[in-house]
Amino acid sequence: MPFHKIVIFSWLFLVTTLPVRSQYKTELTVSLNEYTKELDIQQEFVYYNNSPYSLGILYFNDWAHAYSNKNTGLAKRFAQEFKKSLHLAKKSERGYTTIVSAVDNKYKGLQWERSTGKDILKIRLNEPLAPKTSTKLFITYKVKLPPNKFTSYGYDNKGNYYLKDWYLTPAVYNGKWHLYSNKNLEDLYTNMTQTVINFEYPDSLSLVSNFDKANALEFPNGQSITLKGNKRKSAELILQSKNTFTKHVTSQMTVVTDISAPRYDPISQGISIAKITDFIAVNLGKYPHSKLVVSEMDYQKNPLYGLNQLPSFIRPYDQKFQYEMKFLKTALSTILRETMFLDPRKEQWLNSAIANYLMIAYVEQNYPDQKLLGKLSRIWGVRSFNLAKMGFNEQYPFLYNLTARKNLDQALNTPNDSLIKFNQKIANKYKAGLGLAYLADYIGKDKVDESIKAFFTYYQLNTVKILDFESILKRSTRKDIDWFFKDYISTDRKIDFKIKKVEKSEDSLKVTIKNKEGTNVPISIFGLKKDSVISKYWFKDIKMLKTFNIPNNNEDKLVLNYDHKIPEFNQRDNWKSLGGFLSSNKKLSFTFFKDSENPYYNQVFYVPVLNFNIYDGWTPGLRLYNKTLLERPFVYDFAPSYSFREKAFVGYGRFSYRKYLSKSGLYVANYSLGGSTSHFNVNSRVISVTPSLSFGWRPDDLISNKRQFLSFRYINIFRDFDDSLQNLANDPENPDYSVFNARYVNRDNNILNYKSWFADFQLAGNFSKLSFEYEYRKLFDNNRQLNLRFFAGKFLSNKTNSDFFSFALDRPTDYLFDYGYLGRSEDSGIYSQQIIIAEGGFKSFLDERYRFSNNWLTTVNASFNLWKWIELYGDAGLVKNKGLREKFVYDSGIRLNLVTDYFELYFPLYSNNGWEIVQPNYGERIRFVITVSPKTLTGLFTRKWF
């Protein structure tokens, strides 16, 4: 008898002794107004108190109200992800719920109020609801639907509607209330309810729902239908002006879907759907509802991230494979969401684990040779990459390690709203699925398969806990699997093993394995001969260092985790050659561009580079580095280039080592040694050599954008001057110099309230100075943004007689070579108009006597938007030079804030110079901010994910 049936029978006696839980009931009468985009709702709700306590207050999820203002949980979540669409929305675009009345079964009015998050409705009963009794509520309200530009739910500009979590549903109470705000995480937590919806809508629309349909009627300009759902969370409604859904009746279930592939014909789609539903029935179980809705919208909320996000003309997968994976992922997610009633915010990992485990199994069963890069892996120039050789299922450990290597991985049981976006969308889901594959490899795939089927069969449409799944798994095996739930699921501790040494004898191998992270989980070891697996063993209880004896089968290599079933942190030290000393050395591998990590080679990557400044001109070169797609601790990076204008070599080189110390608090230390050479004027070369050390702090909440850094560096500058500049070379104020620099930075990078400040100390042979900067940006509720910046700098000692090391009012000399000047020595022409907002931060070129300060300088820079990205700016400050009285300086103008800190234009209007706009050569007074660094620009797009 199959294992899952044995489990079910073993529970029969327990089932008959469990108390029967009464089901919540609700009936709604709903009318959609297509002109006002409103739903008029009358809702009758029968609330059963299944708890042993009397209840005087009831809570309902009112997630439609999450769009109502800029202070809801949804709006705050968007701000954390650098999305301000909801914050900037007009009142007419907002969605909200208007409560008309709320009465009890005696038609007495009920008091109600909203929670802090605005989308939880608190209703105070007139009489306490005793245990095991019920009461009836009548609530009349209107729901104003939002446009779908915020979360894809609401209405679009074609007259279509996608309604999800749109009406009041009961919050869960099991000794305490679980009140979860809508944060666009697809994790509504509500009780199972028997629901009837009488829905009226325009006759121009067709309706698709996960509920069953009945009593369809038509009347002038409209139609009505009754929707019924038993043991459901909530109704999802899709209303379209043109029906794009098709119905497929398979032997296992009825499927309604609008997922399509333009180059994959409908008949083949039907065959693929039948194939997938058979796979789900065999590997998961029978779907309990009459139909399954698999929508494109659901897929877009949880897509197959990766190469298929590319434009269609370069998508690398066959249409059949891509369609099946797309449909399978969406179907599994929908089935588990609608049948397994886990706490979706705190226990979301289990549904993800089952879905991704089955996806891994589907590929192994049907597409075992599928490569991660698909057809691209066969193209000349691409097929030599290690990434091109990776199997499709190898993406799971690879993408998990993308955050693990950045020290941003989080435990699988971390609440959904505490996960950074990349973990919530990708990494944790992949690690969860990989975890079940890992467990299956350890205890046997049949045991995990049958446990999943038993869990799904017995617990579907019932309240369920993680402990229930754990109990079934433990009953399936005699092996100890506590490590899976205690270490793999419940912690963010990394898995990392190393073969320390191997001692050979005639008939055995003595293998010593080191547990580098101390995470006590089993590890597999493979014996290879001519790259073919000839042996495999599992070892466990390796707390630090442990030695094992295995038979000598004449292997020529031993490899830990050779099949990549274990999401191991670092596999570069997973192998040990048995062929002698020389064979143990890794060979060099030169690869064009960046690649995934290959643990059997010392990888060196090369890529052409092209840089520009006006002295060197265009400088082509070759960059050599060892940084793979996954972050690694030690990195070297060299880029020798050739300046055609100067007919000389330039470039940079850097060694750096990053050590992550913990998850929060003092979390990282960086050590580096870097050098560069370029030209700062005609035939004038600068060489810089800088050793540095820095530390970083972050809060326990990894979603938070707060960071603190403390850095120390010693900048050494060596310069050669052209003969025409010998007056500068012979100037005692312009020798080679060295500067010790210490800086503390405290930053909260928030799109609504940006705050940042730093304190900077510099010490050199002929000066020492201290400076402070504070920057604040505030986006107000009326969509006006205020930008404030304060700077103060003071020389503690100053033996210089020029302004080379002075504080600058409008254009720092950049003697530390920190800024990306295109022409750092220019005092006229377009390149001199480039501005770096540093030190004084002024935009106007003022009198030469006040452009620098050799004593102290204080300035305030402010701007305020007039319309969208058009702002009015103003600067004011005091400049104090030795031997002179302090001077009050000011300027003002228009700022085009196209992309803050990346591309901005400044048009001066009025300053100490008078009305600048009417003075000659006004074009030479315009200033600009531009960022051309690829690394900096990339951060603009990746910041919301990490």
Side-chain angles (χ1 to χ4, degrees):
M1 181 181 294
F3 170 73
H4 72 281
K5 291 185 178 179
I6 295 175
V7 172
I8 294 172
F9 290 143
S10 69
W11 285 94
L12 283 178
F13 176 76
L14 176 62
V15 173
T16 58
T17 61
L18 288 174
V20 176
R21 294 177 61 87
S22 298
Q23 189 177 177
Y24 299 92
K25 297 180 181 179
T26 187
E27 183 169 353
L28 297 90
T29 300
V30 185
S31 177
L32 170 62
N33 188 322
E34 63 179 327
Y35 301 106
T36 63
K37 310 299 183 186
E38 287 183 340
L39 298 171
D40 292 298
I41 303 175
Q42 293 178 322
Q43 184 169 2
E44 176 184 316
F45 199 94
V46 178
Y47 192 101
Y48 290 93
N49 182 4
N50 288 307
S51 76
Y53 309 103
S54 293
L55 298 177
I57 294 174
L58 303 181
Y59 289 92
F60 291 85
N61 301 301
D62 184 14
W63 278 21
H65 201 68
Y67 306 87
S68 60
N69 61 54
K70 306 172 186 185
N71 299 306
T72 64
L74 182 63
K76 292 176 181 178
R77 179 75 180 191
F78 280 177
Q80 289 176 323
E81 297 178 354
F82 299 93
K83 294 167 60 177
K84 52 185 179 181
S85 57
L86 187 56
H87 190 89
L88 298 177
K90 302 174 183 177
K91 184 176 180 180
S92 60
E93 295 177 320
R94 298 194 175 280
Y96 51 85
T97 302
T98 303
I99 305 296
V100 178
S101 67
V103 300
D104 61 16
N105 56 353
K106 298 179 181 178
Y107 298 100
K108 292 183 178 179
L110 295 169
Q111 294 182 4
W112 60 271
E113 60 184 86
R114 297 195 179 278
S115 67
T116 304
K118 308 301 181 184
D119 54 7
I120 303 292
L121 195 66
K122 177 181 178 181
I123 295 181
R124 190 177 301 277
L125 299 178
N126 292 320
E127 297 177 1
L129 182 61
K132 311 307 176 186
T133 62
S134 66
T135 188
K136 186 176 289 187
L137 309 178
F138 300 91
I139 308 174
T140 302
Y141 55 102
K142 292 178 180 288
V143 172
K144 173 68 169 63
L145 299 173
N148 67 344
K149 67 179 184 179
F150 305 124
T151 63
S152 301
Y153 301 132
Y155 61 88
D156 64 18
N157 55 11
K158 297 179 181 179
N160 302 316
Y161 299 81
Y162 195 136
L163 309 184
K164 185 175 182 182
D165 308 327
W166 51 278
Y167 59 89
L168 299 178
T169 57
V172 173
Y173 180 79
N174 53 13
K176 67 174 183 178
W177 288 100
H178 296 267
L179 307 178
Y180 300 154
S181 285
N182 181 1
K183 297 184 178 181
N184 194 32
L185 298 174
E186 306 294 308
D187 58 358
L188 176 72
Y189 194 23
T190 184
N191 281 299
M192 295 171 289
T193 306
Q194 181 177 320
T195 305
V196 176
I197 302 175
N198 302 300
F199 194 78
E200 292 186 3
Y201 57 102
D203 59 0
S204 59
L205 299 174
S206 62
L207 183 147
V208 173
S209 174
N210 58 332
F211 278 24
D212 297 327
K213 297 180 181 179
N215 304 328
L217 296 173
E218 293 186 4
F219 51 87
N221 300 321
Q223 53 189 318
S224 67
I225 197 166
T226 299
L227 304 171
K228 297 181 179 180
N230 187 32
K231 290 190 174 182
R232 293 279 193 162
K233 293 182 180 180
S234 63
E236 296 181 24
L237 306 184
I238 303 171
L239 297 106
Q240 298 177 315
S241 55
K242 180 181 179 181
N243 189 5
T244 60
F245 283 81
T246 57
K247 183 177 181 180
H248 299 262
V249 180
T250 73
S251 59
Q252 303 297 338
M253 65 183 77
T254 297
V255 175
V256 178
T257 182
D258 66 339
I259 290 180
S260 63
R263 289 176 288 174
Y264 192 49
D265 65 272
I267 295 176
S268 297
Q269 290 178 29
I271 294 172
S272 289
I273 289 173
K275 173 183 171 184
I276 292 169
T277 55
D278 285 343
F279 174 84
I280 292 173
V282 170
N283 291 276
L284 187 61
K286 183 177 176 58
Y287 183 60
H289 298 302
S290 62
K291 66 180 175 183
L292 174 68
V293 176
V294 183
S295 70
E296 179 72 25
M297 184 67 70
D298 276 343
Y299 170 74
Q300 293 299 333
K301 298 293 288 187
N302 185 24
L304 284 164
Y305 289 98
L307 293 173
N308 70 313
Q309 304 303 112
L310 297 171
S312 59
F313 64 90
I314 56 173
R315 286 186 182 172
Y317 302 125
D318 291 333
Q319 287 294 308
K320 178 183 178 183
F321 174 77
Q322 184 163 310
Y323 178 82
E324 289 183 5
M325 295 307 295
K326 183 176 179 179
F327 185 90
L328 175 64
K329 181 169 189 177
T330 312
L332 285 171
S333 298
T334 303
I335 289 171
L336 292 167
R337 183 180 70 239
E338 296 203 356
T339 57
M340 307 307 296
F341 294 151
L342 293 155
D343 182 336
R345 183 149 294 181
K346 296 181 178 179
E347 299 174 329
Q348 77 288 347
W349 70 265
L350 182 52
N351 280 351
S352 297
I354 294 172
N356 284 285
Y357 173 77
L358 293 179
M359 289 185 66
I360 292 171
Y362 187 83
V363 172
E364 288 177 345
Q365 177 179 314
N366 296 283
Y367 300 96
D369 299 322
Q370 178 66 47
K371 297 297 183 182
L372 178 59
L373 296 189
K375 291 176 284 188
L376 297 178
S377 64
R378 301 192 294 267
I379 298 176
W380 182 88
V382 176
R383 62 188 178 210
S384 60
F385 282 85
N386 190 61
L387 190 67
K389 299 172 185 176
M390 290 173 58
F392 185 82
N393 282 343
E394 289 184 71
Q395 68 177 303
Y396 293 92
F398 178 79
L399 290 175
Y400 156 69
N401 267 315
L402 202 63
T403 51
R405 292 285 186 91
K406 294 176 179 289
N407 198 32
L408 289 170
D409 54 316
Q410 295 170 278
L412 292 183
N413 61 353
T414 303
N416 217 18
D417 59 345
S418 296
L419 293 171
I420 65 172
K421 186 174 181 178
F422 191 87
N423 288 339
Q424 192 265 329
K425 291 286 189 181
I426 304 174
N428 274 36
K429 293 181 178 182
Y430 283 13
K431 184 189 176 185
L434 197 62
L436 286 183
Y438 176 14
L439 189 65
D441 199 34
Y442 179 61
I443 68 173
K445 187 175 185 301
D446 58 330
K447 293 181 173 59
V448 172
D449 290 350
E450 294 295 339
S451 295
I452 290 173
K453 290 163 66 176
F455 177 70
F456 181 80
T457 302
Y458 175 71
Y459 284 106
Q460 62 180 240
L461 306 184
N462 284 291
T463 302
V464 61
K465 297 287 184 184
I466 297 294
L467 191 61
D468 300 318
F469 181 66
E470 181 178 351
S471 176
I472 290 177
L473 268 177
K474 287 182 174 179
R475 288 170 179 264
S476 72
T477 180
R478 294 183 179 180
K479 291 184 178 181
D480 180 13
I481 59 172
D482 281 341
W483 59 268
F484 180 73
F485 294 93
K486 291 182 179 179
D487 293 288
Y488 190 88
I489 300 298
S490 301
T491 74
D492 58 12
R493 297 179 63 182
K494 298 170 179 63
I495 300 172
D496 195 6
F497 291 89
K498 174 184 179 180
I499 300 178
K500 186 73 174 176
K501 64 179 179 178
V502 178
E503 298 178 20
K504 294 176 63 175
S505 64
E506 188 174 340
D507 60 350
S508 67
L509 300 173
K510 184 182 289 187
V511 184
T512 301
I513 299 176
K514 180 180 181 181
N515 187 342
K516 295 167 65 177
E517 293 289 335
T519 308
N520 192 5
V521 298
I523 184 70
S524 60
I525 188 168
F526 293 77
L528 274 67
K529 189 170 186 177
K530 295 181 180 179
D531 293 329
S532 297
V533 176
I534 62 172
S535 60
K536 178 183 178 182
Y537 308 92
W538 280 96
F539 299 130
K540 62 178 184 177
D541 296 325
I542 309 171
K543 296 181 180 178
M544 292 184 64
L545 202 68
K546 198 168 183 178
T547 301
F548 303 89
N549 286 306
I550 61 175
N552 186 347
N553 297 314
N554 295 317
E555 295 94 340
D556 53 36
K557 190 184 294 182
L558 293 179
V559 184
L560 297 172
N561 188 25
Y562 180 72
D563 57 358
H564 309 296
K565 288 289 180 67
I566 304 169
E568 203 177 357
F569 180 69
N570 171 28
Q571 297 188 33
R572 294 190 300 273
D573 51 11
N574 270 21
W575 66 282
K576 184 71 71 172
S577 175
L578 305 180
F581 175 76
L582 291 177
S583 63
S584 297
N585 293 332
K586 294 183 179 181
K587 298 178 182 179
L588 277 176
S589 169
F590 288 90
T591 306
F592 176 72
F593 202 61
K594 191 180 291 188
D595 195 3
S596 62
E597 206 166 70
N598 189 329
Y600 308 118
Y601 289 89
N602 286 314
Q603 295 168 286
V604 180
F605 305 107
Y606 62 91
V607 63
V609 292
L610 185 66
N611 293 304
F612 174 81
N613 67 56
I614 62 170
Y615 313 112
D616 288 310
W618 292 105
T619 55
L622 186 68
R623 182 184 174 204
L624 302 168
Y625 58 103
N626 72 329
K627 186 177 181 180
T628 61
L629 293 172
L630 297 179
E631 187 175 301
R632 58 194 309 172
F634 175 73
V635 173
Y636 59 80
D637 191 349
F638 295 89
S641 304
Y642 186 76
S643 168
F644 283 101
R645 181 167 293 179
E646 288 290 340
K647 296 181 173 54
F649 284 98
V650 294
Y652 68 85
R654 184 182 302 110
F655 296 98
S656 62
Y657 178 77
R658 176 171 293 174
K659 174 66 175 177
Y660 287 112
L661 306 172
S662 67
K663 190 65 67 177
S664 59
L666 177 58
Y667 78 100
V668 68
N670 294 288
Y671 312 84
S672 72
L673 174 63
S676 67
T677 179
S678 62
H679 291 85
F680 64 94
N681 212 321
V682 177
N683 198 28
S684 301
R685 179 185 292 272
V686 60
I687 299 173
S688 69
V689 178
T690 305
S692 66
L693 168 66
S694 67
F695 303 95
W697 288 262
R698 69 184 178 202
D700 293 334
D701 178 13
L702 297 189
I703 295 180
S704 170
N705 297 310
K706 295 180 180 179
R707 296 291 185 271
Q708 300 171 64
F709 300 98
L710 177 63
S711 64
F712 304 94
R713 55 180 180 159
Y714 191 62
I715 304 102
N716 301 276
I717 303 296
F718 309 95
R719 294 179 295 170
D720 293 323
F721 292 84
D722 182 69
D723 291 341
S724 64
L725 302 173
Q726 283 303 309
N727 60 323
L728 293 176
N730 297 326
D731 188 336
E733 297 301 325
N734 278 287
D736 298 335
Y737 55 89
S738 299
V739 179
F740 170 75
N741 177 220
R743 174 175 287 201
Y744 173 78
V745 179
N746 189 309
R747 180 185 303 121
D748 184 3
N749 189 11
N750 190 297
I751 199 169
L752 302 181
N753 291 285
Y754 174 93
K755 291 176 285 187
S756 174
W757 65 271
F758 72 76
D760 185 274
F761 172 73
Q762 296 179 22
L763 176 65
N766 55 359
F767 74 88
S768 61
K769 62 198 297 190
L770 185 66
S771 60
F772 173 84
E773 177 185 295
Y774 179 82
E775 188 173 2
Y776 177 72
R777 302 172 191 162
K778 170 70 174 178
L779 186 62
F780 292 98
D781 287 348
N782 62 358
N783 297 336
R784 299 292 185 188
Q785 179 165 305
L786 174 67
N787 304 283
L788 291 174
R789 179 180 173 272
F790 170 77
F791 175 82
K794 167 68 178 172
F795 276 92
L796 304 178
S797 64
N798 189 359
K799 300 176 183 178
T800 66
N801 293 313
S802 76
D803 284 322
F804 185 67
F805 298 106
S806 295
F807 295 112
L809 189 65
D810 63 77
R811 184 175 165 88
T813 57
D814 191 26
Y815 53 87
L816 298 182
F817 291 84
D818 285 336
Y819 306 135
Y821 279 127
L822 299 176
R824 64 179 57 251
S825 298
E826 300 304 292
D827 54 15
S828 63
I830 185 65
Y831 296 106
S832 69
Q833 295 172 235
Q834 181 186 2
I835 183 173
I836 305 291
I837 305 299
E839 299 187 9
F842 267 55
K843 290 78 185 177
S844 292
F845 297 108
L846 301 186
D847 191 300
E848 290 290 340
R849 293 173 296 174
Y850 312 118
R851 291 186 65 186
F852 295 95
S853 167
N854 57 23
N855 192 344
W856 58 262
L857 170 70
T858 62
T859 61
V860 175
N861 315 119
S863 64
F864 191 78
N865 67 315
L866 302 174
W867 179 78
K868 292 187 178 181
W869 37 265
I870 300 177
E871 301 179 3
L872 180 68
Y873 76 81
D875 306 313
L878 291 171
V879 181
K880 178 68 171 72
N881 281 291
K882 291 185 292 185
L884 296 174
R885 295 187 61 180
E886 61 271 12
K887 172 68 174 179
F888 176 70
V889 289
Y890 60 91
D891 70 2
S892 61
I894 299 295
R895 175 193 188 191
L896 302 187
N897 187 6
L898 302 174
V899 184
T900 303
D901 298 332
Y902 294 87
F903 184 46
E904 306 172 18
L905 292 173
Y906 293 89
F907 297 85
L909 294 179
Y910 190 78
S911 69
N912 291 83
N913 299 326
W915 285 102
E916 301 204 31
I917 196 169
V918 298
Q919 296 183 18
N921 302 318
Y922 179 73
E924 297 177 5
R925 301 172 183 270
I926 299 171
R927 308 294 296 275
F928 64 89
V929 172
I930 188 169
T931 298
V932 295
S933 166
K935 182 178 179 180
T936 305
L937 289 171
T938 300
L940 179 65
F941 301 101
T942 60
R943 58 185 180 174
K944 68 180 181 180
W945 287 93
F946 302 101

